[in-house]
Amino acid sequence: NHATVDPSDTEFKWASYPDASYYVYSLSSENSVSKYMNVRTDQPAFKVDAPIPSDTYQLKVEAFNSSGVKLAESPDDYGFYLKSFSK
């Protein structure tokens, strides 16, 4: 939480939730539109497929069971800053 990471090879992971069949995640920022909104995954992780711009982001993850019932969601204050690095 509130970490600075390199956006060129970023993977987000979280602990598996008991009885979760899938997760829905959203990666949003204050200044850009994200293609990572309300994306469903069966794994407790996702990797961005291209560098994303330097910005302050919020990551929200929701866990669902096989019937589509939401079991849990991440806290609202999970934020971080992605900073582009010159290589």
Side-chain angles (χ1 to χ4, degrees):
N1 199 8
H2 302 289
T4 300
V5 298
D6 182 347
S8 63
D9 188 29
T10 304
E11 182 174 20
F12 296 91
K13 295 180 180 181
W14 52 90
S16 296
Y17 195 83
D19 298 322
S21 294
Y22 66 93
Y23 304 90
V24 174
Y25 64 85
S26 294
L27 180 64
S28 59
S29 74
E30 299 173 352
N31 300 310
S32 61
V33 177
S34 173
K35 68 178 187 176
Y36 302 102
M37 297 298 293
N38 297 313
V39 180
R40 181 178 167 157
T41 181
D42 295 334
Q43 301 300 316
F46 74 97
K47 187 171 183 173
V48 296
D49 58 5
I52 53 180
S54 294
D55 204 346
T56 300
Y57 288 87
Q58 289 287 121
L59 176 63
K60 180 178 181 181
V61 179
E62 300 170 309
F64 293 85
N65 68 14
S66 59
S67 298
V69 175
K70 184 173 16 173
L71 302 172
E73 66 181 53
S74 59
D76 289 337
D77 65 347
Y78 189 75
F80 56 93
Y81 182 76
L82 284 176
K83 180 179 179 182
S84 294
F85 295 94
S86 298
K87 293 189 177 193

